[in-house]
């Protein structure tokens, strides 16, 4: 009788921390009862910090764990740190809101911790099973937080809609996975890549790959799988929307890159077509559909669809340079997004939150600092130099041009110009329209700290961009060492 | 082997017939009962393949939990299924046409389907042969060793599902009187009773 050895837990140290810590916070909340939100919330932020330290402490090389089911490399490190930052910021931003809206139940931070656990598992997945487990853990927690305001019709509708469509996307992903497994005989990414080499890829694997692509495109809300995004963003409580727009998107893009580069490096020519299409469609729809929106959260939903399109431009190039561009894009997008949602959280009057963009009229007279910061984020999202958003777009488009994707780059830049219209309209409303009723409720202290930090980052990114760029270069190189040689036109 | 073949055809036939009845039965409760019959037949097929562990799991999980849950839902929801079926015949021709086109397309795709020869060896069954170990043992060997990560992850998914169900549905209603055993046990006679001397004809002034 052989006794199984304890597997090496080093590569999943951060996941273990979140899993055990999350359960501990759940117990803490259950025993303390109501009113434990702040305690559990700060506990969750502490956990994210601890997990980030553990991630950064991982060796700078590729480590496999659990019979190759998970992988830990600089790419995973980079993405995991981004996700942990995004989740920590989301928890910090939500505490005050939840108290004001009488939603202060301790399960909220616990669910965010478990969602983050799922995202870390997605980033580390090196196997179709690990991919699906992480994705489901993340999605299930997100469905619940979307309808966290269960007495609001719109919040429950958004949760239900997200759940039904998410289940459909999971079904497509599973169908694709089963085809890939059936035709390659394995669920492990490198083994799938191996099975797909030789003279031509089996049609079944290609079929499965497209279904997996569709499932993943749903999770990043890329066109044509974006239908859920505006309704869910509008209906969910505002800090939940802020969370949705950042960390889960980053995790899904990371998974997207991992699957395409890890499992299907031989099929670049095939998936490139698909990624180019959804990237163009997302950029164009994000730019045009946002023009008619009056609700700031719906507008941000279309904006995030567009931004995911821009991020996918980097992946479409299929090179290490493109991946580096995606990583830089996501880092900057995370920061800008946190800042914008802090500003949206400030749109509060005594009677409650307001979401219509016309309510912002004349903000520059009442609260000049807030108006300036809001306008600065809008310029940055539109990609106007020297703000950080410009550099984000710059790196993905340079990669796309180096990969000879001229049409993609031109359409991307043009849709970015169209998108600038609705960002700048918000600036116009704030600075040049007749003042509406002012927002008298001041921002909570922790939200203003997040707002300050993110606006400093956005303004002063151009002073010292090299740290982020070199980190992204290392991360991208670790991932695509095998794939670069394959790419070629 | 004749017995096994006969058993196979009986189970398979019942499974297909019952599956058809699931969608054909007019009463939804009958549909669920037919679904249970389908599960039973599928379990029988598993036993014939030598996978008795899976057969038992199928019975316990699907018949014991899932189908019974369906039954509860069907009986508790007041849905008029007869009205849902209205117009079924009206849309039958177009539905049949779409189905026929899909069928033709599938025939055309599958007819030209080529499987690369080198993938055949990869798709070989990875489990140890049934003669060496029983299927329960084969699952047990890998469940907590090779697949421990996925197993624990599935546990986390279930935990989140449970938290979610509680967060979204549990309500503490106001005005509901709950039993508090400590308060009951800790109650003393002095707290509850007051003995007063009542003068004849006076009554008690205040309560």
């Amino acid at each position: 009788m052989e006794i199984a050895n304890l597997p090496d837990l080093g590569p999943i140290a951060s996941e273990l921390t979140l899993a055990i810590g999350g359960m501990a916070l759940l117990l803490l909340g259950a025993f303390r009862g109501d009113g434990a939100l702040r305690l559990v919330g700060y506990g969750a932020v502490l956990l994210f910090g601890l997990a980030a330290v553990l991630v950064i402490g991982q060796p700078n090389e590729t480590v496999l764990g659990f019979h190759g089911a998970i992988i830990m490399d600089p790419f995973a490190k980079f993405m995991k740190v981004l996700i942990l930052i995004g989740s920590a910021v989301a928890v910090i931003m939500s505490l005050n809101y939840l108290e004001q809206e009488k939603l202060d139940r301790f399960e909220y931070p616990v669910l965010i911790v478990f969602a983050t656990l799922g995202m870390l598992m997605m980033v580390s997945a090196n196997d179709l099973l690990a991919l699906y487990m992480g994705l489901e853990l993340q999605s299930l927690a997100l469905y619940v937080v979307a309808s966290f305001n269960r007495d609001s019709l719109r919040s429950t509708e958004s949760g239900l809609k997200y759940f039904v469509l998410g289940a459909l996307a999971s079904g497509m992903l599973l169908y694709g996975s089963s085809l890939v497994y059936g035709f390659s005989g394995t669920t492990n990414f490198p083994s799938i890549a191996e099975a797909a080499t030789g003279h031509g890829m089996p049609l079944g694997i290609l079929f499965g790959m497209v279904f997996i692509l569709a499932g993943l495109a749903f999770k990043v809300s890329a066109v044509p799988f974006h239908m859920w995004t505006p309704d869910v963003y509008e209906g969910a409580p505002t800090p939940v929307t802020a969370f949705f727009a950042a960390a889960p998107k980053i995790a899904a893009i990371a998974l997207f890159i991992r699957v395409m580069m890890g499992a299907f490096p031989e099929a670049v020519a095939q998936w490139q077509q698909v990624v180019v299409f959804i990237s163009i469609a997302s950029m164009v729809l994000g730019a045009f559909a946002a023009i008619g929106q009056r609700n700031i959260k719906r507008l941000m939903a279309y904006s995030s669809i567009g931004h995911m399109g821009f991020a996918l431009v980097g992946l479409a190039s299929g090179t290490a340079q493109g991946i580096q561009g995606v990583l830089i894009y996501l880092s900057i997008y995370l920061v800008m997004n946190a800042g914008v949602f802090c500003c949206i959280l400030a749109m509060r009057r005594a009677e409650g939150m307001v979401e219509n963009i016309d309510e912002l009229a004349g903000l520059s007279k009442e609260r000049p600092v807030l108006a300036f910061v809001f306008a600065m984020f809008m310029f940055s999202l539109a990609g106007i130099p020297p703000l950080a958003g410009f550099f984000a777009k710059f790196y993905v488009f340079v990669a796309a041009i180096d990969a000879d994707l001229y049409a993609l780059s031109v359409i991307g830049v043009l849709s970015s110009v169209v998108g600038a219209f609705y960002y700048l309209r918000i600036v116009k409303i704030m600075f040049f329209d007749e003042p509406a009723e002012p927002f008298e409720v001041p921002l909570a202290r922790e939200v203003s700290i997040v707002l300050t930090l993110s606006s400093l980052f956005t303004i002063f990114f151009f002073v010292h961009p090299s740290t982020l760029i070199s980190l992204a270069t290392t991360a991208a190189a670790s991932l695509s060492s095998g794939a670069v040689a394959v790419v070629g036109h | 082997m004749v017995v096994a073949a006969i058993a196979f055809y009986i189970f398979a036939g019942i499974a297909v017939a019952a599956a058809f009845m699931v969608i054909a039965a007019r009463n939804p409760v009958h549909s669920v009962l037919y679904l249970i019959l389908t599960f039973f037949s599928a379990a029988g097929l598993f036993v014939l393949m030598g996978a008795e562990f899976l057969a038992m799991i199928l019975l316990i999980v699907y018949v014991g939990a899932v189908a019974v849950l369906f039954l509860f839902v069907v009986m508790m929801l007041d849905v008029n299924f007869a009205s849902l079926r209205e117009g079924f015949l009206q849309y039958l021709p177009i539905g049949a046409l779409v189905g026929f086109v899909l069928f033709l397309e599938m025939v055309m795709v599958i007819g030209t389907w080529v499987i690369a020869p080198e993938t055949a060896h990869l798709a070989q069954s990875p489990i140890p042969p049934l003669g060496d170990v029983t299927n329960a043992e084969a699952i047990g060997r890998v469940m907590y060793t090779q697949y421990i990560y996925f197993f624990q992850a599935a546990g986390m998914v279930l935990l989140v599902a449970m938290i979610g169900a509680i967060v979204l549905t549990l309500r503490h209603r106001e005005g509901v009187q709950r039993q508090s055993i400590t308060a009951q046990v800790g109650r003393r006679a002095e707290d509850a009773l007051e003995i007063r001397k009542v003068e004849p004809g006076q009554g008690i002034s205040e309560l």
Side-chain angles (χ1 to χ4, degrees):
Chain A
M1 185 80 202
E2 60 176 302
I3 294 171
N5 293 319
L6 188 68
D8 179 19
L9 297 177
I12 59 157
S14 51
E15 283 91 338
L16 271 183
T17 313
L18 286 191
I20 296 170
M23 288 190 276
L25 287 179
L26 186 64
L27 281 180
L28 178 72
F31 280 113
R32 288 290 294 267
D34 293 337
L37 174 71
R38 257 182 201 272
L39 184 68
V40 176
Y42 285 122
V45 174
L46 208 68
L47 264 185
F48 292 139
L50 185 61
V53 170
L54 287 171
V55 169
I56 294 169
Q58 296 279 342
N60 254 336
E61 58 205 24
T62 304
V63 183
L64 295 177
F66 293 95
H67 302 267
I70 61 152
I71 184 169
M72 193 68 202
D73 52 7
F75 173 75
K77 279 174 70 173
F78 190 95
M79 286 301 200
K80 283 184 177 182
V81 172
L82 280 191
I83 290 168
L84 288 166
I85 294 174
S87 299
V89 167
V91 171
I92 293 171
M93 278 165 64
S94 56
L95 293 177
N96 191 51
Y97 175 92
L98 293 174
E99 279 165 358
Q100 281 173 333
E101 299 285 315
K102 304 273 177 294
L103 292 171
D104 49 340
R105 281 174 292 158
F106 70 90
E107 286 95 342
Y108 179 82
V110 173
L111 284 168
I112 301 275
V113 169
F114 286 131
T116 311
L117 170 65
M119 293 174 210
L120 298 194
M121 289 170 64
M122 282 158 71
V123 172
S124 268
N126 197 32
D127 187 292
L128 290 173
L129 275 173
L131 178 164
Y132 183 68
M133 281 299 177
L135 196 69
E136 270 318 273
L137 181 56
Q138 178 240 26
S139 311
L140 204 58
L142 293 187
Y143 304 146
V144 179
V145 288
S147 44
F148 203 75
N149 187 4
R150 59 188 186 185
D151 295 323
S152 143
L153 196 61
R154 276 167 45 195
S155 178
T156 41
E157 182 204 335
S158 90
L160 189 66
K161 208 170 244 178
Y162 195 15
F163 174 69
V164 172
L165 291 176
L168 186 72
S170 289
M172 284 199 278
L173 189 110
L174 276 182
Y175 182 56
S177 305
S178 71
L179 277 174
V180 169
Y181 175 59
F183 278 84
S184 64
T186 171
T187 54
N188 192 269
F189 290 168
S191 312
I192 292 171
E194 215 173 290
T197 50
H199 58 85
M201 200 171 180
L203 189 60
I205 294 188
L206 203 60
F207 230 81
M209 186 190 81
V210 173
F211 272 101
I212 293 177
L213 259 173
L216 291 176
F218 175 88
K219 297 292 170 189
V220 298
S221 73
V223 178
F225 304 100
H226 65 284
M227 270 62 167
W228 58 277
T229 321
D231 291 341
V232 171
Y233 275 40
E234 188 190 358
T238 309
V240 174
T241 313
F243 177 56
F244 278 6
K249 292 284 171 67
I250 294 173
I253 291 265
L255 190 60
F256 212 122
I257 296 174
R258 174 81 78 197
V259 173
M260 292 305 124
M261 296 300 228
F264 305 107
E266 297 280 326
V268 174
Q270 281 90 342
W271 58 254
Q272 201 175 31
Q273 300 168 4
V274 182
V275 175
V276 166
F277 169 74
I278 59 177
S279 164
I280 289 178
S282 306
M283 288 188 293
V284 171
L285 185 118
F288 282 96
I291 290 173
Q293 301 304 324
R294 311 305 296 178
N295 182 304
I296 184 83
K297 279 156 84 181
R298 282 188 91 83
L299 192 140
M300 285 307 294
Y302 284 107
S303 157
S304 93
I305 292 172
H307 280 285
M308 287 305 115
F310 289 116
L312 287 174
V313 169
L315 175 62
S317 68
T319 56
Q321 195 192 4
I323 304 299
Q324 180 208 8
V326 178
L327 297 179
I328 296 173
Y329 199 99
L330 290 178
S331 322
I332 293 174
Y333 172 71
L334 171 73
V335 177
M336 292 190 301
N337 191 62
V340 173
F341 274 98
C342 283
C343 294
I344 295 176
L345 281 174
M347 294 170 64
R348 168 184 284 281
R349 300 218 175 92
E351 69 268 15
M353 299 289 293
V354 288
E355 294 173 357
N356 199 310
I357 58 172
D358 294 329
E359 309 278 357
L360 286 167
L363 189 67
S364 62
K365 307 223 172 37
E366 304 291 339
R367 314 224 352 219
V369 179
L370 183 68
F372 169 76
V373 172
F374 207 155
M376 190 266 301
F377 280 121
M378 288 298 139
F379 279 117
S380 182
L381 283 174
I384 290 168
L387 298 164
F390 165 73
F391 293 94
K393 289 200 173 71
F394 176 74
Y395 285 106
V396 287
F397 283 123
V398 167
I401 287 173
D402 282 351
D404 297 339
L405 296 168
Y406 297 116
L408 178 67
S409 319
V410 170
I411 296 175
V413 173
L414 288 180
S415 63
S416 164
V417 173
V418 176
F421 166 73
Y422 62 83
Y423 292 127
L424 297 184
R425 188 176 61 187
I426 294 179
V427 177
K428 177 230 162 206
I429 291 174
M430 283 192 296
F431 282 86
F432 302 113
D433 280 10
E434 283 303 305
E437 218 180 316
F439 305 128
E440 63 272 5
V441 188
L443 267 179
R445 189 158 39 94
E446 62 265 17
V447 181
S448 14
I449 293 174
V450 172
L451 183 58
T452 315
L453 290 179
S454 54
S455 42
L456 287 180
F457 177 91
T458 311
I459 297 178
F460 294 111
F461 176 75
F462 73 94
V463 177
H464 187 67
S466 54
T467 316
L468 181 68
I469 292 171
S470 68
L471 281 174
T473 314
T474 324
S478 77
L479 182 79
S480 51
S481 47
V484 182
V486 179
V487 179
H489 294 272
Chain B
M1 278 299 103
V2 179
V3 182
I6 293 172
F8 171 80
Y9 283 112
I10 291 175
F11 280 129
I14 292 177
V16 173
F20 177 73
M21 287 306 289
V22 173
I23 54 167
R26 288 203 163 273
N27 188 331
V29 177
H30 293 173
S31 287
V32 178
L33 293 176
Y34 278 116
L35 189 66
I36 293 175
L37 183 59
T38 317
F39 287 144
F40 262 107
S41 318
L45 291 175
F46 272 131
V47 171
L48 283 179
M49 290 165 72
E52 68 277 351
F53 180 71
L54 275 183
M56 292 307 131
I57 291 289
L58 187 74
L59 287 191
I60 293 168
V61 175
Y62 278 88
V63 178
V66 176
V68 171
L69 195 71
F70 279 179
L71 208 54
F72 271 113
V73 171
V74 166
M75 292 209 253
M76 287 170 109
L77 286 181
D78 186 24
V79 179
N80 188 356
F81 286 92
S83 64
L84 283 182
R85 284 165 188 275
E86 270 173 23
F88 177 70
L89 276 179
Q90 189 189 342
Y91 295 111
L92 191 61
I94 184 95
L97 182 71
V98 170
F100 182 68
V101 171
L102 273 179
F103 176 74
L104 272 188
E105 283 176 350
M106 274 158 120
V107 167
M108 281 153 73
V109 169
I110 294 170
T112 56
W113 195 295
V114 182
I115 295 171
E118 56 265 39
T119 54
H121 74 275
L122 281 163
Q124 276 169 359
S125 103
I127 55 159
L130 277 176
D132 294 356
V133 285
T134 64
N135 60 83
E137 198 183 337
I139 293 175
R141 276 185 186 176
V142 290
M143 179 80 112
Y144 296 100
T145 53
Q146 195 177 347
Y147 294 115
I148 179 74
Y149 181 72
F150 309 127
F151 191 72
Q152 294 296 334
M156 297 309 293
V157 173
L158 290 179
L159 176 65
V160 169
M162 192 178 76
I163 300 172
I166 293 173
V167 167
L168 295 181
T169 56
L170 184 68
R171 282 173 194 279
H172 291 290
R173 271 186 296 168
E174 300 297 322
V176 178
Q177 302 209 327
R178 290 199 169 77
Q179 187 178 22
S180 166
I181 291 175
T182 20
Q184 286 176 337
V185 172
R187 189 170 137 118
R188 293 169 307 163
E190 301 88 81
D191 303 334
L193 283 179
E194 193 182 350
I195 297 175
R196 299 247 190 130
K197 267 236 174 321
V198 182
E199 296 295 324
Q202 299 289 308
I204 301 173
S205 53
E206 90 279 11
L207 262 169

